[in-house]
Amino acid sequence: MAQIRIARRVLTECIAAMTFPILLLSLFVAPVSAPVVAETDRSRARWCGVETTPLKPSDRSWTEWVVLRLRSRSIWRTDLPVLVTAVLLSALSLLVAFFGFIGAAALVFSPVFWLFGIAAQVGPFTPESVGQTLLAVPAGIVLGAVTMAVLTGTSFLRDLLLRTFSRSRDPDLLTKLEELRTSRASLTAAFEFERQRIERDLHDGAQQELVAVVMRLGMLEATATATAADADANQERIVRLARQAQAHAERALERLRDTVRDIHPRELSDLGLIAAVRELAARSPLRVELTSTGDDTQLSSPTATAVYFTVSEALTNISKHAGVENARIDLRCATTEVHVQVHDEGVGGARIETGSGLAGLRERMRSVGGNLEIISPPEGGTLVVASAPSEPPW
């Protein structure tokens, strides 16, 4: 096992030596290149048996992650020093590998060169007899071993510097903290958006209806206390005002139920995710084709809630922006995970923007260990894909 790790270290140093020109050019596009080089160096260290934590989340693209790193101050403390270290040590590896291995090869094959009338010169040494060429063979083996040892030492030096930068600045914790801050900011914006929506729904819906009820009841009281001279006319007016107050109260109750359902639907708690999504599809103004498989009894409440609101928001966006009247839902529940797709053939072009409902849903899915992805090319429809484990990781 130790021999394999040494061979890996020598191999990675040879690769670093060959990529030295690329690393040198990457200095001209720093700091953009710094996170990529630093993350690659962490991967190299793990391959050589050193325990390091990758900073790039598996669900993020390189472009998204580099942009995120460029916004953080830790790039100047960790990634750029690793980039500079990689360039310097790659230059050292290039010199050692080039002169060491070429010199070793020349010494080892010195007798062969002598047969063809060539005296292979290595530094100040030039063989002048067959005996000297034979003595050069073990010297070449020793030089090759020394070269491998120096390359191995250079690899260990890379690891030492990488751990030093990581330990002194704790980049893993800093990166995770920055991701938590970004996630918290997104959740805060999404919660503020949701709070404003609930406030708007209550103000424009139930509150207006209840104000109308109060006004009708006031008019009803005034009419009931009027003089008995117009008893018949007052009785008819009382009946009409009572019916209007009742109608406004019923509408206010219905709007309150809609608002409460948008906060947390009762069907989800009582009947489960599949039944709640089926009810959601039935209430939607769209013609929804629902396909559901599996058993949702194993789903935790946070996971089921996150998936439900993902479907709800997707259907709402389709009805508002897609320009179509049809949608398709594919819901699959398994023992360990749940997977849902909501597809339409509308105008496409949907994006997850900061502070939007979809951004809040993505953070909600991530909070239960899942993920939300939007595939929406222009004029190519929109596919919302969400998945999450049955039980959150916390």
Side-chain angles (χ1 to χ4, degrees):
M1 190 65 179
Q3 292 82 355
I4 295 177
R5 290 184 177 179
I6 291 176
R8 287 182 175 181
R9 290 185 178 277
V10 173
L11 178 60
T12 53
E13 288 304 316
C14 291
I15 295 174
M18 290 185 290
T19 58
F20 171 72
I22 299 176
L23 291 173
L24 189 61
L25 291 176
S26 68
L27 290 175
F28 294 97
V29 292
V32 176
S33 61
V36 178
V37 174
E39 188 68 9
T40 303
D41 196 42
R42 283 185 280 269
S43 299
R44 175 207 58 81
R46 287 195 301 276
W47 194 60
C48 292
V50 179
E51 184 177 353
T52 58
T53 303
L55 300 188
K56 175 184 171 296
S58 58
D59 59 341
R60 286 184 182 271
S61 66
W62 278 99
T63 302
E64 293 177 339
W65 181 70
V66 169
V67 171
L68 180 64
R69 292 291 292 169
L70 289 175
R71 296 175 182 173
S72 65
R73 289 178 294 180
S74 61
I75 188 176
W76 306 100
R77 301 171 179 173
T78 57
D79 293 350
L80 280 177
V82 172
L83 172 60
V84 174
T85 300
V87 173
L88 296 177
L89 292 181
S90 295
L92 176 61
S93 297
L94 177 60
L95 294 174
V96 172
F98 182 78
F99 291 105
F101 286 134
I102 289 181
L107 290 174
V108 170
F109 292 101
S110 181
V112 179
F113 295 146
W114 185 266
L115 292 176
F116 289 94
I118 302 174
Q121 181 180 359
V122 178
F125 172 73
T126 303
E128 297 179 354
S129 65
V130 177
Q132 290 182 353
T133 59
L134 294 176
L135 291 175
V137 174
I141 296 175
V142 172
L143 179 59
V146 171
T147 301
M148 294 181 63
V150 174
L151 291 177
T152 303
T154 304
S155 178
F156 278 112
L157 181 59
R158 286 181 190 269
D159 296 341
L160 176 62
L161 294 175
L162 181 63
R163 286 196 300 267
T164 300
F165 295 137
S166 300
R167 183 163 51 249
S168 62
R169 300 301 182 182
D170 209 1
D172 295 346
L173 292 179
L174 285 174
T175 300
K176 294 182 184 300
L177 179 60
E178 288 163 4
E179 290 183 355
L180 286 174
R181 286 174 177 171
T182 303
S183 177
R184 184 178 64 180
S186 299
L187 283 175
T188 301
F191 288 156
E192 179 64 18
F193 176 82
E194 186 68 12
R195 185 194 66 79
Q196 293 176 359
R197 183 193 65 80
I198 294 174
E199 181 182 15
R200 184 173 60 252
D201 290 346
L202 291 175
H203 180 272
D204 298 340
Q207 180 175 321
Q208 296 297 327
E209 298 295 344
L210 290 175
V211 169
V213 170
V214 172
M215 293 177 62
R216 293 298 187 277
L217 290 176
M219 297 170 64
L220 184 63
E221 180 184 10
T223 303
T225 56
T227 58
D230 299 326
D232 294 338
N234 285 345
Q235 183 177 5
E236 181 180 351
R237 179 175 173 80
I238 289 173
V239 172
R240 185 175 68 256
L241 291 174
R243 289 174 178 174
Q244 291 176 351
Q246 182 181 9
H248 283 294
E250 290 175 350
R251 285 198 294 270
L253 181 60
E254 183 64 26
R255 295 195 176 189
L256 281 175
R257 287 173 177 169
D258 291 340
T259 302
V260 172
R261 185 184 293 113
D262 288 339
I263 298 174
H264 190 85
R266 187 173 183 83
E267 296 89 354
L268 186 60
S269 302
D270 296 344
L271 304 177
L273 177 62
I274 295 178
V277 172
R278 187 177 295 113
E279 176 68 19
L280 184 65
R283 293 199 317 269
S284 175
L286 303 168
R287 290 191 294 271
V288 180
E289 177 185 350
L290 173 61
T291 302
S292 59
T293 58
D295 182 12
D296 60 1
T297 58
Q298 301 296 324
L299 298 180
S300 64
S301 177
T303 298
T305 301
V307 173
Y308 174 88
F309 282 108
T310 297
V311 176
S312 175
E313 183 71 16
L315 292 179
T316 300
N317 289 340
I318 292 173
S319 62
K320 288 182 178 180
H321 310 297
V324 294
E325 298 180 353
N326 301 299
R328 186 168 66 252
I329 302 174
D330 181 16
L331 176 61
R332 289 179 289 158
C333 301
T335 305
T336 58
E337 64 178 357
V338 58
H339 186 87
V340 64
Q341 294 184 354
V342 183
H343 183 255
D344 70 82
E345 298 179 355
V347 297
R351 295 290 183 271
I352 300 180
E353 299 177 352
T354 303
S356 65
L358 287 176
L361 289 176
R362 181 176 62 181
E363 297 303 326
R364 186 174 219 166
M365 292 299 300
R366 289 178 176 175
S367 70
V368 296
N371 190 36
L372 177 69
E373 182 180 3
I374 306 294
I375 303 174
S376 184
E379 305 300 330
T382 299
L383 176 63
V384 179
V385 182
S387 58
S390 300
E391 291 288 339
W394 29 269

